């Protein structure tokens, strides 16, 4: 099919380069430089979609980000699917395949439209809420059907072949928008030597200069733009970003720019020199000052049938003709409230097509453009507007009549003009979205009939973005605002020489939003306000009648502005209609708040390369590779990957079959209790504490006493927050009189270090003490079990005699040829040595232990076995058996509280509150299921009386629960109200499946209650 | 009260001269992710400088400055975010926070240095912690090094803001690194051992489009 609407000359397209593409399966041709939208119009494609709610045929309305209808699905393969792309912003490339996001079986013959036509009368706002209210349980079912009927595009079901990334940028001045004001601003700042970033969402910089009728220095304006861009490209201090949308304005001038790097080249990123660049990139800009030169969006008029394909905003008509060499129709009727839109009619005429009439809502329009139109013999109907577009799949005529805009009524007899295109313009709304993201409220300006942005400190708006629509004034404004911004940064900026633009005298525009119709709004044909969400003027009127007065409520009730276009075209009209219905002014009604993102951003760009293997840091110990090679399953502890258990091949193995977790853990537990096991404990936090007041400091942050811990000795310590609740624990060793090594839980390491610094820096700066993390410096391997001493003795020169190297001692020596600190501390209740060496030597020491360990049955074990073994001993894990509401006394750890320490320690005061002294607090106990085969569920709720009516009073819950191979029984730790006084009593655990488990409250120490084994 | 080794603080040489197999923090990463050799087209080259001596100094600037001048022959950096090197560039001191500096010296010098500093500092309040096993130095060179950093760190690495002789602690992807600029050609990252693999994989991935090579 030929490009029937393509002009033979003009526009910024390359007619020598033809590009093939398909739309809804049909092949078309366009040119390099086209957008998908301009190519579709060139090919005479009228219907691009079906509407959201009523399934009405819809065509292209606009030429930029504000387009509500031409929202398409791209992609030739499943993995390359991209939903909801605005055809007006998608550059055409060869082989592009697009289809409509809505319409079944297709947009030309849509079955849903019957429903829409019927339902039209029956689908008022709130239709879904009102209709599908009951039964509530069925909403999930309704929702699926509704979504299918109304849905937009769909996500790909396969992995994206492309990569995405982030780039952190910093600049003095970020200029958003590369039109006349933006270019003038960027050039001013660039010449002043400032670091400038200039971004623009379009394919090329230049904005309206690329298609304006006006001349700069007597040459086409685009030439000046090209000259400025060439100069800026040469500047080292300037970053130019085309195809880059400023999608979000966050706090402190942090702005995210979404750059589409390869989407104009193909559906996946092409390789360059064997390397594949990211498909799109999020620039995370931290700017000193920001200048918004985002221009304005033209408002369409709201009249009956304004959604039939062939209705466009006037400015879009000019853009298609002048930038793309495409006239989207043959006979034009222009309905306008202002002079500016006359350009569309003049451009149309110059393209060689017929202008049927200009319908001007003003009585005596008299600007220069009006005069030009008159001089060319165009019929101008004054004081009138298009009341209604006729036609079904394409405009076939326009009903025109004189109106009284203020009284909101039709005053004359309607006349029908035959035409296939209606362009309308109700004025220009500054693009205030980004300014709104900062939280600043826009204000209504009656002069320009639009909201102008509210501005927080450091943000400037220039040109059309603040209602300065005149070309020369806009450029001067850009320059002036750039100077202001640089001055605010303490820099000097000189003004620059701007090109001369001949001022065009424009008559005053009139305020017209919704065009009156002969019938009242609620009874007349549909007048669309928000095309993407099918919100009509009648819907807004109905909402106000139903009592919705706040514009935010009207918005939510009618769904106005909820689409992917965020109501860029319709919102102001909707507010004006609400104002009319409520008898208020627009500023009284106010505006809804725009939020990020300005246009939708692909998830890929948000995520960048923080996905898959790089989703989050994985912290490894020095022995990680050994664990991988020995088949460890890993558990995430904070960001660490810790071996969870080491499943072995089953003895009776069918090929490759490995032990279950239960089997592996049981084997590992037995190895520790009977022989010797080894744990990689490198992840525990280690803090080197030095200073003459180190000991005093420890006494203040721990609940227990530190005054007498001698060098060479180790002590367990418990830490509370100031509310008296346990938050971390660990052992601390006295290395020297002024020198301690504190260990923390793996997950708590950073928090504890910050906690120590916080108290030192804010409360006790007079104490001479310092803290340094040495977690990564040391690798720690724990060998534990009855054979541990014999194993260690084989590879060390240290004296391991139980009398000279006692439990809770530490010693220095050489292990496997490496300087080591060895701590006799035990988290298993067995004889244990924690060997610490510099991490670079760790793998060697670890492997040496295994070289000697076979004869002792040395078995690697992971965190699961560690959990079982420590729970058998009643050792808590902070964060598992505690949850921020548990005191040391609740844990039965009175022995670790030094109430009589001379200086009050953190949490002491809180522990004297009546609430922390209650005898019925939840206290840590052991639970022994009556049926030894039962392993209680962690988190299971505990009750005293299982026959109590529901809701039963819950008296506690299980915090840790395992099967113990040593006991050959399930066992658990739990917190139970007043539990420490209830030894031997029975409690019940009702489960979700109706079973009720019985368990006996016992001591939390299940194995070796006297603690003899660790002392051997 | 004094912090000298003999009395109150227990210093300990964790390094041995014995022939013991030793693994840098990136040893596992090379095996797991490979190390693409640099080519003529590599616009950025990564090189680990493993096994150096890393000491963290904490205390008051004035006393520490005297001691390092005496022992190392170079002063503390004169201002925040400063980095100074000795004449042959082998030893450096970097400002970390108002009472904290990072000293990096050739591997094996750190224990003797710590003892000499303790001796020189005498009774002052200070702390020295040996963290040589816990971190490694990664060097980036090449024309694309700065852009690779822009992908990775939020700090402004523009030359006007990050001149030679500056060093900062900053966010690197979702981890933290110490970033420094010893000369016009090089950027250095001081990376915690446990985060080294993540950092390495990130750099390989982000550097792919520049043909990143790893010098070993």
């Amino acid at each position: 099919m030929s490009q029937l609407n393509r002009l033979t000359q003009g526009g910024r397209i390359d007619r020598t380069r033809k590009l093939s593409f398909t739309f809804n399966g049909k092949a078309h041709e366009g040119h390099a430089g086209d957008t998908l939208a301009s190519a579709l119009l060139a090919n005479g494609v009228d219907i691009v979609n079906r509407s959201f709610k009523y399934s009405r045929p819809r065509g292209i309305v606009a030429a930029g980000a504000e387009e509500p209808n031409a929202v398409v699905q791209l992609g030739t393969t499943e993995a390359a699917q991209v939903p909801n792309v605005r055809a007006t912003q998608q550059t055409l490339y060869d082989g592009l395949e697009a289809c409509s996001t809505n319409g079944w079986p297709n947009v030309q013959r849509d079955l849903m439209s019957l429903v829409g036509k019927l339902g039209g009368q029956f689908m008022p706002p709130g239709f879904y809420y009102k209709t599908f209210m009951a039964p509530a349980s069925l909403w999930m079912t309704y929702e699926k059907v509704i979504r299918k009927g109304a849905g937009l595009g769909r996500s790909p079901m396969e992995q994206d072949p492309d990569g995405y990334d982030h780039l952190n940028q910093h600049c003095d001045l970020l200029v958003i928008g590369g039109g006349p004001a933006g270019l003038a601003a960027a050039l001013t700042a660039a010449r002043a030597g400032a670091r400038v970033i200039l971004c623009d969402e379009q394919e090329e910089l230049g904005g309206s200069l690329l298609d304006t009728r006006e001349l700069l220095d007597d040459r086409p304006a685009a030439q000046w733009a090209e000259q400025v861009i060439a100069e800026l490209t040469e500047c080292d201090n300037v970053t130019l970003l085309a195809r880059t949308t400023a999608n979000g304005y966050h706090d402190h001038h942090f702005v995210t720019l979404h750059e589409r790097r390869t989407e104009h080249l193909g559906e996946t990123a092409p390789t360059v020199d064997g390397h594949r660049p990211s498909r799109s990139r999020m620039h995370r800009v931290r700017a000193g000052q920001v200048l918004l030169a985002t221009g304005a969006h033209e408002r369409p008029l709201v009249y009956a049938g304004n959604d039939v394909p062939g209705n466009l905003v006037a400015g879009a008509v000019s853009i298609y003709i002048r930038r793309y060499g495409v006239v989207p129709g043959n006979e034009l009727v222009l309905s306008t409230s202002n002079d500016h839109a006359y350009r569309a009619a003049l451009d149309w005429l110059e393209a060689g097509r017929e202008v049927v009439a200009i319908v001007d809502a003003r009585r005596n329009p008299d600007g220069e453009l009006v005069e030009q139109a008159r001089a060319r013999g165009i019929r101008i109907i004054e004081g009138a507007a298009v009341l209604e577009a006729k036609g079904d799949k394409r405009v076939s005529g326009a009903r025109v009549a004189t109106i009284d805009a203020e009284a909101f009524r039709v005053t004359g007899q309607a006349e029908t003009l035959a035409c296939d295109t209606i362009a309308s313009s109700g004025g220009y709304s500054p693009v205030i979205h980004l300014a709104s993201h900062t939280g600043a409220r826009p204000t209504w300006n009656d002069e320009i009939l639009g909201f102008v942005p509210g501005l927080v400190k450091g943000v400037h708006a220039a040109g059309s973005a603040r209602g300065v629509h005149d070309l020369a004034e806009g450029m001067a404004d850009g320059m002036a605002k750039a100077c202001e911004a640089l001055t605010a940064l303490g820099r000097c900026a000189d003004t620059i020489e701007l090109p001369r633009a001949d001022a065009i005298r424009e008559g005053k525009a009139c305020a017209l939003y919704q065009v009156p119709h002969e019938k009242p709004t609620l009874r007349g044909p549909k007048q669309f306000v928000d095309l993407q969400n099918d919100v009509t003027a009648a819907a807004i009127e109905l909402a106000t009648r139903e009592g919705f007065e706040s514009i935010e409520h009207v918005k939510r009730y009618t769904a106005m502005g909820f689409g992917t276009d965020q109501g860029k075209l319709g919102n102001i009209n909707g507010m004006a209609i609400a104002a009319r219905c409520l008898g208020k002014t627009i500023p009284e009604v106010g505006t809804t708040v725009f939020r990020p993102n300005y246009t939708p951003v692909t998830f890929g760009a948000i995520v960048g390369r923080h996905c898959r293997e790089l989703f989050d840091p994985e912290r490894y110990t020095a022995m990680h590779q050994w664990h991988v090679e020995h088949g460890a399953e890993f558990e995430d502890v904070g960001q660490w990957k810790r071996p969870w258990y080491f499943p072995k091949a089953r003895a009776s193995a069918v090929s490759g079959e490995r032990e279950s977790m239960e089997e592996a853990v049981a084997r590992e537990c037995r190895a520790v209790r009977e022989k010797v096991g080894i744990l990689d404990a490198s992840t525990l936090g280690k803090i080197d504490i030095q200073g003459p007041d180190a000991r005093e400091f420890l006494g203040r942050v721990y609940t227990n006493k530190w005054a007498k811990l001698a060098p060479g000795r180790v002590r367990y310590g418990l830490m509370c927050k100031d509310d008296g609740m346990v938050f971390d624990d660990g052992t601390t060793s006295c290395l020297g009189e002024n020198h301690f090594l504190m260990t923390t839980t793996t997950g708590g390491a950073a928090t504890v270090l910050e906690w120590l610094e916080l108290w030192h820096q804010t409360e006790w700066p007079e104490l001479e003490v310092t803290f340094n993390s040495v977690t990564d410096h040391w690798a720690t391997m724990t060998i534990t079990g009855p054979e541990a001493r014999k194993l260690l003795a084989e590879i060390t020169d240290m004296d391991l005699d139980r009398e000279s190297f006692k439990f809770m001692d530490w010693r220095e020596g050489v292990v496997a040829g490496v300087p080591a600190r060895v701590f006799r501390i035990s988290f298993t209740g067995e004889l244990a040595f924690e060997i610490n060496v510099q991490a670079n030597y760790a793998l060697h020491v670890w492997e040496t232990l295994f070289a000697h360990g076979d004869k002792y049955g040395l078995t690697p074990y992971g965190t699961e076995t560690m959990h079982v073994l420590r729970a058998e001993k009643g050792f808590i894990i902070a964060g598992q058996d505690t949850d921020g509401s548990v005191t040391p006394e609740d844990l039965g750890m009175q022995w670790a509280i030094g109430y009589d320490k001379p200086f009050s320690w953190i949490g002491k005061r809180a522990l004297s509150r009546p609430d922390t002294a209650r005898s019925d607090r939840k206290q840590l106990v052991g639970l022994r299921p009556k049926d030894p085969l039962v392993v209680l569920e962690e988190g299971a709720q505990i009750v005293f009386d299982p026959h109590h009516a529901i809701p039963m009073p819950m008296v506690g819950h299980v915090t840790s629960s395992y099967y113990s191979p040593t006991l050959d029984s399930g066992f658990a730790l739990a917190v139970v109200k007043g539990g420490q006084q209830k030894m031997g009593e029975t409690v019940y655990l009702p489960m979700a499946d109706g079973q009720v488990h019985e368990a006996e409250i016992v001591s939390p120490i299940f194995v070796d209650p006297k603690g003899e084994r660790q002392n051997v | 009260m004094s912090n000298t080794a003999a009395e109150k603080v227990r210093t300990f040489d964790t390094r041995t001269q014995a022939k013991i197999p030793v693994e840098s923090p990136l040893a596992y990463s090379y095996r797991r992710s490979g190390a693409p050799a640099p080519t003529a087209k590599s616009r950025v080259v990564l090189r680990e400088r493993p096994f150096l001596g890393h000491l963290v100094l904490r205390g008051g600037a004035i006393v520490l400055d005297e001691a390092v001048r005496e022992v190392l022959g170079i002063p503390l950096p004169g201002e925040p975010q400063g980095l100074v090197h000795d004449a042959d560039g082998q030893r450096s001191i970097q400002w970390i926070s108002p009472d904290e500096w990072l000293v990096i010296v050739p591997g094996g010098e750190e224990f003797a240095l710590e003892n000499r500093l303790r001796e020189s500092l005498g009774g002052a309040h200070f702390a020295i912690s040996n963290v040589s096993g816990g971190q490694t130095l990664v060097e980036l060179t090449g024309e694309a090094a700065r852009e690779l950093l822009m992908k990775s760190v939020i700090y402004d690495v523009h030359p006007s803001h990050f001149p030679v002789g500056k060093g900062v602690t900053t966010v690197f992807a979702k981890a933290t690194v110490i970033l420094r600029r010893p000369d016009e050609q090089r950027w250095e990252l001081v990376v915690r051992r446990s985060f080294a693999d993540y950092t390495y994989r990130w750099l390989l991935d982000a550097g792919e489009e520049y043909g990143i090579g790893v010098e070993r």
Side-chain angles (χ1 to χ4, degrees), chain B residues 120-184:
Chain B
S120 166
L121 283 157
H125 168 48
F126 68 95
I128 303 173
S129 297
N130 183 352
V131 293
S132 306
Q135 51 199 36
T136 193
L137 195 71
V138 173
E139 206 175 79
L140 295 176
T141 52
E143 47 159 327
R146 188 163 76 86
E147 190 168 308
L148 177 54
L149 286 171
M150 287 168 73
K151 288 185 179 187
S152 314
V153 303
I154 60 168
Y155 200 80
D156 185 1
V157 292
H158 191 271
S160 66
H161 190 259
F162 208 127
V164 169
K166 184 168 179 172
V168 300
T169 305
T170 185
V171 174
F172 180 100
K174 289 190 192 170
T176 304
V177 298
I178 294 170
L179 176 65
R180 26 200 265 161
R181 197 153 172 235
D183 57 46
E184 292 288 344

Side-chain angles (χ1 to χ4, degrees), chain A residues 354-398:
Chain A
E354 185 189 345
V355 177
V356 178
I358 295 175
V359 190
D360 195 320
R362 297 168 298 178
R363 298 254 175 261
N364 299 300
D366 65 345
E368 263 178 54
L369 293 170
V370 181
E371 282 158 17
Q372 280 185 38
R374 266 200 198 101
R376 299 204 189 182
I378 297 176
R379 178 184 174 197
I380 299 175
I381 307 172
E382 298 180 1
V386 171
L387 305 185
E388 185 169 358
K390 305 303 279 183
D392 181 12
K393 291 180 177 175
R394 173 83 197 199
V395 170
S396 61

